[in-house]
Amino acid sequence: MEINAVGIMGSDTTGAGAAELFVKNGFQVRLYDDFKDSLGVALAKISWSLKLAGREELLANIEGVQDLSKFNGADIVIEASARSADERKLFFAKLRPHLDSRCVVAARCSVAPLSELIEYAELPKDRTLGFHFIDPVRSNQLVEVVRTDHTSDEYLEAAAGLLRKIGKTPVITKDNPGQIVERLSRPFILAALRLLDAGKGYPHEIDAAFKEVSGAAMGPFEMADFSGLDTDCAATEAIHAALGSPERLAPSATQLRLVQYGQLGRKATIGFYIYEDGRIVGENPILPNLVKYLGLKKTFKEELFGDLMRPVVEEAKLLAAEIMASEYDIETAVKLGLGWPKGPFAYSRDLAHLLEKKKVSEFDKLDTF
């Protein structure tokens, strides 16, 4: 199957970014949004980008639409915008009559299992798969491609091939809560929050320790602020519930308090850090009110790294067994999705001495210093 005509549902950052990439690589694109103003802004951004690149002639290849019947003839329809379950059910019910018999449906698929959507939205099982674009969409190479037991190999390979043509690296994963990137982000950020609550460092100290030892560009608190604490907290709650509420993935009360205060990270100019023009210019001054022993127990960077990486490695092993994923796919998804120079399995081999479990002393168990 060859894909030439692309429909995209939603002109948010993900939808507009994906639309631009498809247009720049020679595809015919129709971009849909319920809101005319949002659609106009997205098209203006794409137009500006094409003009700056000296490729204005490609503007003829994209059309903004507000009528789902315009998706007639599309080879693939990609769901970009986040919606509630009820909104998705209603939306796909309107879309179904306009899908050709061989049109692939690529549903937005980052946290919630794809199989649930297929059932309540009554989508064609063999032609429906999941796409999880990683922000920033225009520059991050990774797209997780989610399959169920019913997904046809023909449509799956066509979708993966399409992504390669726009410069993406597709990693095919079996449907599960959180897929690979979101699933493994949970133990990483939760481990950082446990270290914070235990008084083993301020956010900047924990971030710095991880970045220095791992070589990664961002630490866990920077990563959570970048994603948005509300988004991150919701992902944790959803994955925790979908997996049967295991204690290791229980949501953090500290993070939830920040969300309740509206301190959501970079987009709100304050989260774990304070931001100005997108740059960190300080640490949140209310943290001492939320964390009893904030930063009182100085901890070596090697210990902090071990406490952060150990649960990620353990979760990666569980995930590999659950979905029969290869080590290579998990390593690729983590390196591209999280921006790490190595994946969890490589760290567990190369820095094994740092991941050995430390014996917990009676002092560590005390709730006082």
Side-chain angles (χ1 to χ4, degrees):
M1 177 187 179
E2 188 174 354
I3 297 177
N4 295 304
V6 178
I8 297 177
M9 299 190 300
S11 64
D12 61 358
T13 303
T14 300
E20 182 178 324
L21 290 173
F22 283 115
V23 170
K24 284 183 173 178
N25 285 276
F27 292 91
Q28 296 288 328
V29 177
R30 283 183 173 168
L31 180 62
Y32 173 93
D33 202 284
D34 295 324
F35 300 101
K36 187 175 181 179
D37 288 347
S38 299
L39 184 59
V41 168
L43 291 172
K45 288 179 179 179
I46 294 169
S47 174
W48 182 260
S49 179
L50 291 175
K51 287 175 182 176
L52 288 178
R55 305 184 69 186
E56 292 178 73
E57 74 281 359
L58 293 178
L59 284 171
N61 291 350
I62 185 166
E63 180 185 0
V65 299
Q66 290 196 282
D67 181 353
L68 290 175
S69 68
K70 296 289 187 178
F71 283 149
N72 277 321
D75 299 312
I76 188 170
V77 173
I78 300 168
E79 179 193 26
S81 295
R83 299 171 185 267
S84 69
D86 287 341
E87 288 172 330
R88 295 177 93 185
K89 183 176 181 179
L90 178 62
F91 197 77
F92 280 112
K94 294 178 181 177
L95 175 66
R96 278 198 310 271
H98 307 297
L99 296 176
D100 286 0
S101 61
R102 287 177 59 79
C103 179
V104 178
V105 178
R108 182 185 176 99
C109 203
S110 58
V111 175
L114 176 64
S115 55
E116 293 180 3
L117 172 66
I118 291 174
E119 288 303 319
Y120 69 68
E122 300 178 26
L123 294 171
K125 293 182 179 180
D126 62 330
R127 291 185 281 121
T128 301
L129 44 86
F131 275 2
H132 179 207
F133 288 93
I134 309 296
D135 289 329
V137 173
R138 289 173 174 84
S139 58
N140 194 298
Q141 287 182 288
L142 178 67
V143 180
E144 291 179 300
V145 181
V146 184
R147 70 172 304 164
T148 69
D149 292 337
H150 303 288
T151 308
S152 162
D153 289 340
E154 178 190 4
Y155 298 120
L156 186 71
E157 286 304 318
L162 172 70
L163 293 170
R164 293 187 190 100
K165 289 177 182 177
I166 64 169
K168 297 296 185 183
T169 300
V171 171
I172 297 173
T173 175
K174 187 176 179 182
D175 187 29
N176 77 99
Q179 315 319 330
I180 297 174
V181 173
E182 287 293 345
R183 172 78 175 268
L184 297 186
S185 296
R186 298 311 104 214
F188 179 56
I189 294 173
L190 288 169
L193 286 157
R194 284 192 288 270
L195 289 172
L196 187 75
D197 290 338
K200 290 188 174 183
Y202 288 86
H204 75 273
E205 293 173 327
I206 295 168
D207 279 348
F210 179 77
K211 290 190 290 185
E212 185 175 341
V213 177
S214 70
M218 280 199 285
F221 294 107
E222 292 169 315
M223 191 172 100
D225 271 0
F226 177 79
S227 299
L229 300 192
D230 52 341
T231 301
D232 188 79
C233 198
T236 298
E237 291 173 345
I239 292 171
H240 179 246
L243 292 174
S245 302
E247 182 60 31
R248 71 182 190 278
L249 299 178
S252 161
T254 298
Q255 186 179 37
L256 183 58
R257 290 280 294 280
L258 289 174
V259 172
Q260 290 169 341
Y261 294 153
Q263 298 181 354
L264 309 179
R266 286 175 64 171
K267 63 187 177 184
T269 71
I270 187 167
F272 290 107
Y273 297 105
I274 303 168
Y275 295 86
E276 196 172 277
D277 298 326
R279 296 180 300 106
I280 293 174
V281 294
E283 213 155 42
N284 192 328
I286 74 161
L287 287 176
N289 300 328
L290 301 182
V291 180
K292 189 175 182 181
Y293 301 124
L294 181 66
L296 289 182
K297 186 176 181 182
K298 297 305 177 185
T299 310
F300 290 116
K301 63 186 178 184
E302 293 82 4
E303 183 181 338
L304 290 172
F305 172 82
D307 287 344
L308 290 167
M309 187 57 66
R310 194 179 303 113
V312 179
V313 172
E314 291 170 354
E315 198 70 28
K317 291 177 180 177
L318 285 173
L319 178 62
E322 287 172 15
I323 66 173
M324 300 301 288
S326 69
E327 178 179 314
Y328 175 81
D329 283 345
I330 290 176
E331 298 283 273
T332 299
V334 169
K335 286 191 291 183
L336 294 178
L338 302 185
W340 293 1
K342 300 177 184 179
F345 295 113
Y347 282 122
S348 70
R349 289 189 296 267
D350 298 345
L351 298 175
H353 60 291
L354 299 183
L355 301 187
E356 294 175 1
K357 287 188 177 180
K358 190 184 86 169
K359 185 177 179 181
V360 180
S361 68
E362 291 303 312
F363 176 79
D364 287 327
K365 295 177 183 178
L366 295 176
D367 188 37
T368 179
F369 286 79

